[in-house]
């Protein structure tokens, strides 16, 4: 962009100025290529020893710099900066986007330069030179510290101690557990040997179906069980973290953290809940200058924006109150609703008075938010109008410019006590028709780029809008891993378990997922780390950019050609050896998005120049020089070359809808596209590059959220998760064939990822297996032949090993028997309903391009506690489990009827079949309760057993028939024996 014909400096973003006050000649730094640089930046280049042009290599003309007498004033780029401009400029009318009007977007000439130009070479050289200077200055500062003070620091008992430790499980718990797993594996082999070698000729189809289903269940068990082979626990030491990085009288050296909160529709995701999440972030127990909160509004809703304005104003009172009295949790809605003694451990006499006043202020804040929600129920025909009278830029959520507003922070409003508050930033990325926006993953990648421009914290913590900070020290818990030099070298993220509020006491539909978070995730933590679950996760920003961990060995020089070919995806000369071709193909899915910066020094000058120029930063990260420079800053911080006055404009540029085109965003860097469960895919790519993750479970849950407690809503949530797994299975990132090169993904970790993408396919054998009992009862056949003594031993051993495995697993994990049983029940419920639909929907979507949706219709409601639990919402997902229940009920009744008519010899085989059917009904019992609702407060179990027993007794009554006399019965028998 130009102002009055004056180009902008490529380094600082300012106009280059005029060469003379009386002659309107534009200042030219290089006569060879007219590369735009202002006189101040040219002087800086010459002062630092770089006397040649960055683009063409021609020397600068020194006397030209003396002619510079003035520079034009700062310009204002187009875009939306909501604090200073309430509307968008008219650059969209010409078909242009924010990219065309960004003040720091002068990189087209760099891209169009010839291959091998020294531009990026010089830029990286400059960056590494500054980095080495910083290290030298740190050493000089350390040398200037008195020896006595250095000795005191070294002798500090907390200084050199680790910030965390691994607590392995006791051998008394782990050894029997592993022994039972091996025993169960052996028994499974003997069991299948018997099943395969003893077919049932009279019911060969049923027998074959059952054997296939059982083999699939065994494979699923292996995939689920063996990643739990080495579970571990971890303990953190927050006091040691403070002693090391927050010394008294000195500035805090804790690492900055950028929080990401994403929301789309404020009518489905209430602004009050999002506001509580933001308030809990702003009041965390962490230095305020180190915290920044970015809220992504992917629906461009003015309701979300105005709610955030109210939240920022209320935060000026709420944050100092939280820190003054150390209250927990720091989300006001959940703090004031606690049914506990809030005076416990409070000693300040003013607490009661201030708490009462704060609760009144919060209720007023809720009224204002509720008024905004009520106002937003009906959209005006002319669209929403902002307070200054200008139209809201996001009136069309599918066609609007990018919007950024900074509310709080160093230069923003302070709290009521005059203290600085954490930075709060509203972000709504640009949306235009014809562009693929990639839903949540695209919104998160936009936040990555915006935060890199404005704050560039080395760590990122993302939360869903309905997950608030329940433990104000959660960030410190994560920093015990991320800032420990002995641990953090290859850690890509720290995952916290999900905990939920508002779940019914019995957790009917296993919403808490206790078995997954307290068993499976601990097991993965002992291998290569837990999977990423989409929220409550602290990322290393460098891992998000596709870099490999620093602990990986440096590639030898001979690998330059292969890595170069992998980056460019074309080779000038095919390798002679077939093994080289195979190795290069394997490397492609493992190499980082660009190169490992530590490898630069391993090449000579020519190779280094070729590597840097050909790798093409712009093609990887997009055309933003400020953002690209931020990716090279391992420890974060805003680039020194960035002009603070133009940062917002550059941030607007990096969230334009066309910014990611022809880049690696969503493919190799950032949140990965291609699945609705982008979390699993993103974590998988990081683990494939050699990173490991850590599972952190503080005694007080770090974050809490809400979960759907209604049956239909819960099944649709599970359907979405399963659909994402099917999409990954059908993509190139499937763990069955992706990421084998280099051996960076451990085998047990691979088994865990394979399990996460194949589990929906278990629905097919599960439905068949749950239908077998009813078929056996209706046909009088069975899937198992008459058992011999040795066969009875195998069946008994299998049941005992299953029970022992579960008992020992509960013993080392601390999970309760009720939570385990609820998990088993919902595994069957979800398997015969949501998972089945996910398989078919996934194949239709990935292979045929048909996207299907299942509508949910509410039929009843209840206003009592957990009333949502009893809401009946009909959806097609409910059809398969309902059918299975009805068929099994009919089968039980038919089985008893047949046994009554056939005599006592048929009762023995009947018990095996009925036991099989009752096993199915028992697992589907929570589904039956949800299907029947509250039933006028009559327990569902009473209704169930009433129907079942009434049917059985009716059959017995008909069989006995007490109202018929003996003579009449004899006469009827004689009549029956004669063909009348």
């Amino acid at each position: 962009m130009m102002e009055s014909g004056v180009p902008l400096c490529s380094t600082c973003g300012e106009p280059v100025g005029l060469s003379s006050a009386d002659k309107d000649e534009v200042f030219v730094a290089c006569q060879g290529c007219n590369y735009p640089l202002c006189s101040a930046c040219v002087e800086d280049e010459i002062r630092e020893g770089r006397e040649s042009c960055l683009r063409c290599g021609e020397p600068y003309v020194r006397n030209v710099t003396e002619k510079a007498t003035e520079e034009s004033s700062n310009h204002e780029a187009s875009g939306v900066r909501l604090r200073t401009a309430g509307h968008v400029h008219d650059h969209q009318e010409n078909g242009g986007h924010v990219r065309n009007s960004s003040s720091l977007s002068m990189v087209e000439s760099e891209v169009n330069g010839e291959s091998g130009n020294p531009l990026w070479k010089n830029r990286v050289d400059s960056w590494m030179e500054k980095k080495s200077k910083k290290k030298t200055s740190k050493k000089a500062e350390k040398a200037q510290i008195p020896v006595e003070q250095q000795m005191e620091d070294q002798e500090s008992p907390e200084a050199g101690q680790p910030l965390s430790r691994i607590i392995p499980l006791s051998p008394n718990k782990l050894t029997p557990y592993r022994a039972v797993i091996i025993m169960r594996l052996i028994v499974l082999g003997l069991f299948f040997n018997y099943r395969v070698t003893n077919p049932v000729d009279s019911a060969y189809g049923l027998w074959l179906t059952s054997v296939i289903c059982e083999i699939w269940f065994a494979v699923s068990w292996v995939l689920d069980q063996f990643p739990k082979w080495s579970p571990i626990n971890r303990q953190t030491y927050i006091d040691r973290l403070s002693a090391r990085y927050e010394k008294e009288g000195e500035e805090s050296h804790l690492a900055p953290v950028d929080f990401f909160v994403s929301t789309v529709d404020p009518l489905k995701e209430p602004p009050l809940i999002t506001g509580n999440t933001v308030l809990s972030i702003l009041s965390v127990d962490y230095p305020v200058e180190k915290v920044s909160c970015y809220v992504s509004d992917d629906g461009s809703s003015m309701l979300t924006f105005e709610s955030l304005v109210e939240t920022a104003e209320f935060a000026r009172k709420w944050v100092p109150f939280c820190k003054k009295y150390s209250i927990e949790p720091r989300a006001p809605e959940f703090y004031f609703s606690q049914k506990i003694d809030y005076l416990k451990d409070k000693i300040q006499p003013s607490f009661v008075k201030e708490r009462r006043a704060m609760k009144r202020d919060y209720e007023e804040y809720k009224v204002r938010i509720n008024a905004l929600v009520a106002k937003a129920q009906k959209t005006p025909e002319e669209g929403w109008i902002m307070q200054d009278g200008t139209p809201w830029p996001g009136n069309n959520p599918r066609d609007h410019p990018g919007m950024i507003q900074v509310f709080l922070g160093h230069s923003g409003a302070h709290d009521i006590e005059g203290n600085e508050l954490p930075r709060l930033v509203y972000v709504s990325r640009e949306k235009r028709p014809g562009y693929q926006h990639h839903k949540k993953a695209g919104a998160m990648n936009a936040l990555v780029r915006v935060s890199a421009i404005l704050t560039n914290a080395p760590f990122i913590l993302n939360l869903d809008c309905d997950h608030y900070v329940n433990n104000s020290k959660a960030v410190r818990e994560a920093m015990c891993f991320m800032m420990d030099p002995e641990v953090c070298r290859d850690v890509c993220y720290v995952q916290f378990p999900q905990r939920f509020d508002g779940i019914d006491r019995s957790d009917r539909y296993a919403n808490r997922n206790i078995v997954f978070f307290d068993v499976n995730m601990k097991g993965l933590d002992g291998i290569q780390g837990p999977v990423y679950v989409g929220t409550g996760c602290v990322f290393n920003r460098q891992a998000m950019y596709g870099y490999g961990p620093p602990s990986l060995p440096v590639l030898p020089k001979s690998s330059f050609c292969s890595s170069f070919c992998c980056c460019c995806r074309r080779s000038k000369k095919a390798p002679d050896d077939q093994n080289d071709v195979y190795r290069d193909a394997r490397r492609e899915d493992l190499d980082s998005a660009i190169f490992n910066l530590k490898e630069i020094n391993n090449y000579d000058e020519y190779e280094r120049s070729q590597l840097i120029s050909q790798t093409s930063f712009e093609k990887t990260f997009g055309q933003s020089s400020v953002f690209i420079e931020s990716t090279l800053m391992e420890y974060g911080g805003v680039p020194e070359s960035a002009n603070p006055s133009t940062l917002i404009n550059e941030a607007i540029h990096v969230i334009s809808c066309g910014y990611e085109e022809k880049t690696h965003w969503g493919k190799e860097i950032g949140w990965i596209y291609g699945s609705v469960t982008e979390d699993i895919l993103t974590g998988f790519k990081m683990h494939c590059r050699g990173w490991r993750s850590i599972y952190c479970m503080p005694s007080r849950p770090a974050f809490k959220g809400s979960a759907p407690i209604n049956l239909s809503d819960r099944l649709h949530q599970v359907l979405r998760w399963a659909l994402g797994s099917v999409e990954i299975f059908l993509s190139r990132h499937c763990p069955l064939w992706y990421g084998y090169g280099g051996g960076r993904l451990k085998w047990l970790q691979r088994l865990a990822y394979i399990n996460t993408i194949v589990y929906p396919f278990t629905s097919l054998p599960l439905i068949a297996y749950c239908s077998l009992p009813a078929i056996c009862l209706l046909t009088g056949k069975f899937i198992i032949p008459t058992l011999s003594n040795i066969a009875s031993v195998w069946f008994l051993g299998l049941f005992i090993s299953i029970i022992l495995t579960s008992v020992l697993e509960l013993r080392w994990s601390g999970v309760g028997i009720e939570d385990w049983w609820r998990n088993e029940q919902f595994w069957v419920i979800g398997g015969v309903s949501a998972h089945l639909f996910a398989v078919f929907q996934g194949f239709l979507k990935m292979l045929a391009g048909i996207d299907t949706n299942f509508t949910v219709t509410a039929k009843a409601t209840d206003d009592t506690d957990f009333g949502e639990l009893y809401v009946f919402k009909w959806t097609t997902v409910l059809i398969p489990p309902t059918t299975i229940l009805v068929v099994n009920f009919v089968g039980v009744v038919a089985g008893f009827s047949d046994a009554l008519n056939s005599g006592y010899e048929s009762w023995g085989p009947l018990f095996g079949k009925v036991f099989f059917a009752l096993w199915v009904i028992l697992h589907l019992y929570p589904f039956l309760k949800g299907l029947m609702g509250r039933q006028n407060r009559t327990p569902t179990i009473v209704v169930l057993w009433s129907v079942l027993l009434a049917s059985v007794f009716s059959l017995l009554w008909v069989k006995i028939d007490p109202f018929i006399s003996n003579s009449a019965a004899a006469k009827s028998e004689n009549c029956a024996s004669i063909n009348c």
Side-chain angles (χ1 to χ4, degrees), residues 448-672:
V448 171
R449 297 191 293 271
V450 169
S451 62
I453 298 294
L454 299 181
T455 51
N456 197 33
F459 302 112
I460 296 170
L461 196 161
N462 84 291
L463 289 173
D464 288 343
C465 64
D466 59 347
H467 279 66
Y468 64 91
V469 182
N470 183 66
N471 183 347
S472 61
K473 298 184 183 297
V475 182
R476 294 177 180 269
E477 296 275 355
M479 292 302 108
C480 286
F481 302 105
M482 290 300 198
M483 298 190 68
D484 190 341
E486 300 298 324
V487 179
C488 70
R489 288 174 297 179
D490 56 352
V491 175
C492 56
Y493 61 82
V494 175
Q495 178 67 61
F496 291 88
Q498 292 185 19
R499 298 292 187 246
F500 301 98
D501 288 319
I503 305 296
D504 56 297
R505 287 177 292 274
S506 62
D507 193 13
R508 180 188 293 180
Y509 305 123
N511 285 283
R512 293 191 178 95
N513 283 327
I514 293 295
V515 173
F516 173 76
F517 286 112
D518 289 15
V519 180
N520 296 68
M521 296 287 266
K522 285 184 180 180
L524 291 176
D525 199 18
I527 308 172
Q528 201 171 341
V531 297
Y532 169 44
V533 296
T535 184
C537 187
V538 180
F539 283 99
N540 181 340
R541 187 182 284 268
Q542 291 292 307
M544 297 297 298
Y545 292 152
Y547 292 109
S551 60
L552 286 181
V554 176
L555 294 176
K557 288 181 62 176
S558 59
S559 67
F560 166 75
C561 294
S562 60
S563 63
F564 172 78
C565 295
C566 285
C567 292
C568 297
R569 296 194 176 216
R570 88 180 43 160
S571 176
K572 296 182 179 179
K573 182 179 179 180
D576 297 332
D577 190 359
Q578 189 65 24
N579 292 332
D580 292 341
V581 178
Y582 181 71
R583 184 189 66 244
D584 293 347
R586 286 286 187 85
R587 282 178 56 91
E588 183 175 356
D589 59 12
L590 288 172
D591 286 334
S592 57
I594 57 174
F595 52 85
N596 191 335
L597 292 175
K598 296 181 181 297
E599 296 179 8
I600 298 179
N601 295 325
N602 200 38
Y603 306 124
D604 59 33
E605 191 66 23
Y606 174 76
E607 289 179 338
R608 186 174 168 185
S609 175
Q610 288 293 316
L611 177 63
I612 295 174
S613 61
Q614 289 294 338
T615 302
S616 182
F617 282 79
E618 293 94 344
K619 292 182 180 179
T620 299
F621 293 112
Q623 297 182 2
S624 169
S625 58
V626 178
F627 174 73
I628 290 174
E629 187 171 354
S630 72
T631 66
L632 301 175
M633 305 179 70
E634 185 177 355
Y635 302 104
V638 179
E640 296 179 359
S641 62
N643 186 348
S645 64
T646 59
L647 287 182
I648 289 290
N649 300 319
E650 188 69 10
I652 289 286
H653 160 49
V654 298
I655 60 173
S656 60
C657 56
Y659 182 84
E660 293 184 356
E661 287 191 345
K662 298 181 181 180
T663 67
H664 289 177
W665 283 102
K667 302 172 185 175
E668 299 294 337
I669 59 177
W671 269 261
I672 305 301

Side-chain angles (χ1 to χ4, degrees), residues 772-881:
L772 286 177
I775 297 175
C776 291
L777 286 167
L778 292 172
T779 61
K781 299 176 181 180
F782 202 40
I783 60 176
I784 301 174
T786 304
L787 296 179
S788 60
N789 292 335
I790 188 66
S792 302
V793 172
W794 302 143
F795 275 86
L796 185 62
L798 181 61
F799 284 121
I800 292 176
S801 64
I802 292 174
I803 295 173
L804 285 178
T805 304
S806 302
V807 170
L808 293 176
E809 202 168 83
L810 299 182
R811 182 169 173 249
W812 66 254
S813 66
V815 175
I817 185 68
E818 184 179 6
D819 292 319
W820 172 83
W821 176 237
R822 288 286 183 247
N823 182 77
E824 293 293 312
Q825 288 180 312
F826 199 78
W827 177 78
V828 176
I829 295 172
V832 299
S833 57
H835 297 173
L836 177 68
F837 280 85
V839 171
F840 288 105
Q841 187 176 356
F843 275 96
L844 288 174
K845 181 178 180 181
M846 300 298 290
L847 301 182
I850 301 174
D851 196 0
T852 57
N853 293 311
F854 304 100
T855 57
V856 181
T857 306
K859 301 297 182 183
T861 187
D862 199 323
D863 295 330
T864 58
D865 291 341
F866 305 112
E868 182 69 16
L869 182 67
Y870 304 101
V871 175
F872 179 72
K873 300 179 181 180
W874 174 252
T875 172
T876 50
V877 179
L878 303 177
I879 294 177

Side-chain angles (χ1 to χ4, degrees), residues 96-98 400-403 428-432 437 655-658:
H97 300 304
V98 183
H400 65 86
M403 297 177 281
S428 181
R429 58 183 173 143
E430 183 185 23
K431 294 282 188 73
R432 300 297 181 194
H437 300 294
I655 60 173
S656 60
C657 56

